[in-house]
Amino acid sequence: MPIASGLIALAVLWLVRPVWHGFAMFLWTSPIVWLPPVLVLAAAAYLLRRSRRSWTTLEDLKQGVRPPAWLAAFPVLAFVLLLLGGSLQGPLVGRAIVKATDYEPVDGLPAGGLVRLVPRQVAEQNASSAFNSPTETLTDFRITNTPHGLEWTALRTPQGAFRTFTKKSQGLVVLDAEQTARSLRQVDARFNTAPGLQITDNLRWRLLKRRFLIRLEDPVGIETPDGPRIMVPYLKFKGFLVRRPVLGGVFVVSPSGRIEDLNPSEAARRPELVRTGRIYPDTQARRVQDAYQYDKGLWNAWFVHENQTQITDTETNRQPYLVDFPKLGPQWVTVAEPYGRASAASAIFLTDATTGRTRIWRVPRRTSLSGNRRAIQAVRAVSIPGIDFGDGARGSGNFRVVEPRPVFVRGRLVYLSSIIPNSANAVSKTVVVDAESNKLVAIFDNDRDPQAEEKTRRYIATGQVPGGAEAADTAPPPDAQDPTATATATPTPAPSGAASGKPADVRRRLDDVIRRQQELLQEVQRLRDALGRPT
């Protein structure tokens, strides 16, 4: 009877295995944390059992014999090993990734490349505000590469506790990532299996039923010639005590609920998947790039810091950024800084979005390039008409700079950043910062110029700065200027209240001051009205 009960319990546990997947993955991926303490406790139990074998007479059993005092050291040692293994796991996994990865050095940077002009925060806000459905919500925003360029996609998920149990996902929404004007398109398809659905229709539940000892990465909605699909890369683990993640394959889920399980080589032979740039997930690319800090060993990473890199982020949307290069194809691009307080760029990683092949360009020692954090500071230091930057605190300003995307223009590193309102409902301006001079190259007025996106793409492709956009002290030679293009002239830092610059700039500043004064008067009037109302 006990055997039958045990078998039934095991069968039930196996049927609901996605429920305890987290605990199983801890045991599977972190033996360095739990195995040494378990072995120490097992040794202590064995020694305790052997010490009791000396109880040979009835009198021994009556009086009892305390176990040796030194056995108390074993639980303490197990606890110390647990803490030590937990603290060392991250660095040891990073070192294992470095030893298994060939970081291919390159002599220069690739030219051009297709980069998104709509930051993620703006994409989420615009898509949600334009999605007219009381029964659905948008989830899983991801950037994808398509034949039409870069696009943001999101899954349409039933909204509300009751609907998540009874309804299905109705498809995708697609937002153009290269047009700052909102362009939302709905793709209808009834997905029987999707994120956000409950119990057996849930995407995670179904996939973990297919493969259990894996780590699922972020689901991505994509469009294919056969209709929309949900694509989910997954990781498997290699090693014994120190287990490192590697790309295990890709799940492709059709609306009918059919699941394809493709290994990496099979996925790489599917053009509709390769084009998306989502076979090799951005999260795994970041792990490989982060691990480079252990290239010279743990001792160097902890104490010496010779040629050590660190990757920093400027907001919640972390590096890397997806860039589609003419020759290399989609790549995950990340800028790394030297370890410590320096804000310069020390290396640039390019990880192939299909194979995971990672290239690295090390900045020459005699070359000084700004990092992504310094690029943000360079933009905030400039006085731009109509823009008052804030730090997120109340009353500190209505605009912020986000997503300094690395772009390579004629072999030079520049950062393409977006100036957006605090509400993140639009892209006001797109600014370009030259990494070598740490100066603004151009400001494209997305809020006023309908051709701003086209001019930005033309600048990235040709390196020609629109006429009037270059800074006075960093003006490019005449052959690098485009006399037919127009953009806002790059302003220079000026004292508060200074009325310097071209007449058009002065007029814009006056208009902005008048607008803010009018808003202030309206707020004062509302406060007076509120005080006059009876309570």
Side-chain angles (χ1 to χ4, degrees), residues 141-189:
F141 279 86
R142 303 285 180 262
I143 191 73
T144 63
N145 191 38
T146 73
H148 314 293
L150 295 177
E151 294 180 335
W152 289 101
T153 66
L155 300 175
R156 297 160 55 184
T157 302
Q159 185 170 230
F162 177 76
R163 297 186 65 85
T164 57
F165 282 95
T166 60
K167 301 299 181 181
K168 307 297 183 184
S169 173
Q170 299 303 311
L172 320 172
V173 296
V174 180
L175 185 75
D176 194 339
E178 297 179 50
Q179 290 292 331
T180 56
R182 187 173 63 195
S183 175
L184 188 70
R185 177 169 53 89
Q186 296 190 25
V187 181
D188 295 326

Side-chain angles (χ1 to χ4, degrees), residues 19 48 56 76 90 101 125 131 134 188 206 226 231 256 271 389 428 478 483:
V19 174
L48 177 62
T56 56
V76 176
T101 303
Q125 182 69 19
F131 185 57
D188 295 326
R206 291 286 305 279
D226 297 325
M231 184 175 170
S256 65
F389 292 114
S428 299

Side-chain angles (χ1 to χ4, degrees), residues 521-535:
L521 290 174
Q522 292 172 358
E523 180 65 21
V524 171
Q525 185 61 43
R526 284 194 293 268
L527 291 174
R528 291 184 61 183
D529 294 341
L531 288 174
R533 296 193 190 101
T535 57

Side-chain angles (χ1 to χ4, degrees), residues 407-483:
V407 180
F408 313 122
V409 178
R410 288 189 172 182
R412 294 173 62 89
L413 171 64
V414 302
Y415 293 98
L416 193 74
S417 301
S418 299
I419 298 177
I420 66 174
N422 288 338
S423 59
N425 61 350
V427 177
S428 299
K429 301 184 188 299
T430 300
V431 295
V432 180
V433 176
D434 181 76
E436 185 171 357
S437 64
N438 198 42
K439 298 290 185 180
L440 267 68
V441 175
I443 301 178
F444 299 96
D445 296 321
N446 302 97
D447 52 356
R448 297 187 300 108
D449 186 359
Q451 300 297 320
E453 292 84 3
E454 177 59 34
K455 294 173 184 177
T456 305
R457 287 191 291 269
R458 187 163 67 245
Y459 163 73
I460 295 173
T462 65
Q464 294 181 338
V465 180
E470 66 281 352
D473 56 347
T474 58
D479 60 348
Q481 301 180 22
D482 184 0

Side-chain angles (χ1 to χ4, degrees), residues 316-530:
T316 55
N317 189 25
R318 291 157 42 95
Q319 299 188 81
Y321 297 111
L322 184 65
V323 182
D324 185 19
F325 293 100
K327 294 183 179 180
L328 297 179
Q331 304 282 314
W332 293 112
V333 182
T334 295
V335 175
E337 299 177 351
Y339 175 85
R341 298 181 180 179
S343 298
S346 64
I348 296 177
F349 296 95
L350 298 98
T351 299
D352 193 287
T354 299
T355 64
R357 176 185 178 186
T358 298
R359 301 172 176 87
I360 180 173
W361 180 70
R362 295 302 303 257
V363 178
R365 287 186 175 275
R366 297 182 180 274
T367 302
S368 177
L369 299 179
S370 296
N372 53 341
R373 291 183 295 173
R374 184 57 59 85
I376 293 286
Q377 297 170 4
V379 177
R380 291 174 58 90
V382 171
S383 175
I384 302 175
I387 301 296
D388 52 335
F389 292 114
D391 56 6
R394 186 175 182 179
S396 64
N398 299 322
F399 291 88
R400 51 199 168 106
V401 192
V402 297
E403 289 194 8
R405 286 91 73 188
V407 180
F408 313 122
V409 178
R410 288 189 172 182
R412 294 173 62 89
L413 171 64
V414 302
Y415 293 98
L416 193 74
S417 301
S418 299
I419 298 177
I420 66 174
N422 288 338
S423 59
N425 61 350
V427 177
S428 299
K429 301 184 188 299
T430 300
V431 295
V432 180
V433 176
D434 181 76
E436 185 171 357
S437 64
N438 198 42
K439 298 290 185 180
L440 267 68
V441 175
I443 301 178
F444 299 96
D445 296 321
N446 302 97
D447 52 356
R448 297 187 300 108
D449 186 359
Q451 300 297 320
E453 292 84 3
E454 177 59 34
K455 294 173 184 177
T456 305
R457 287 191 291 269
R458 187 163 67 245
Y459 163 73
I460 295 173
T462 65
Q464 294 181 338
V465 180
E470 66 281 352
D473 56 347
T474 58
D479 60 348
Q481 301 180 22
D482 184 0
T484 64
T486 59
T488 300
T490 303
T492 56
S496 176
S500 60
K502 297 181 180 179
D505 292 338
V506 176
R507 283 194 295 271
R508 279 195 296 271
R509 294 183 185 182
L510 287 173
D511 292 341
D512 183 61
V513 172
I514 293 171
R515 175 184 58 79
R516 284 183 286 179
Q517 292 295 330
Q518 290 174 341
E519 293 175 352
L520 180 60
L521 290 174
Q522 292 172 358
E523 180 65 21
V524 171
Q525 185 61 43
R526 284 194 293 268
L527 291 174
R528 291 184 61 183
D529 294 341

Side-chain angles (χ1 to χ4, degrees), residues 110-130:
L114 196 62
V115 64
R116 64 176 180 252
L117 302 182
V118 180
R120 176 169 182 162
Q121 298 172 57
V122 176
E124 292 180 350
Q125 182 69 19
N126 281 350
S128 298
S129 62

Side-chain angles (χ1 to χ4, degrees), residues 226-285:
D226 297 325
R229 297 289 188 269
I230 299 176
M231 184 175 170
V232 187
Y234 63 86
L235 306 178
K236 62 182 182 180
F237 293 82
K238 293 184 177 181
F240 177 53
L241 277 180
V242 178
R243 298 181 63 78
R244 58 182 175 86
V246 298
L247 181 64
V250 177
F251 289 118
V252 181
V253 184
S254 64
S256 65
R258 177 174 173 265
I259 299 174
E260 293 183 83
D261 184 0
L262 308 175
N263 62 43
S265 60
E266 291 173 337
R269 292 195 293 268
R270 297 276 290 270
E272 74 276 16
L273 302 183
V274 172
R275 183 179 57 225
T276 65
R278 302 297 313 201
I279 291 179
Y280 198 85
D282 56 329
T283 48
Q284 178 65 5

Side-chain angles (χ1 to χ4, degrees), residues 57-69:
T57 67
L58 183 60
E59 188 65 23
D60 292 336
L61 293 176
K62 289 181 178 180
Q63 295 180 357
V65 180
R66 291 186 178 183

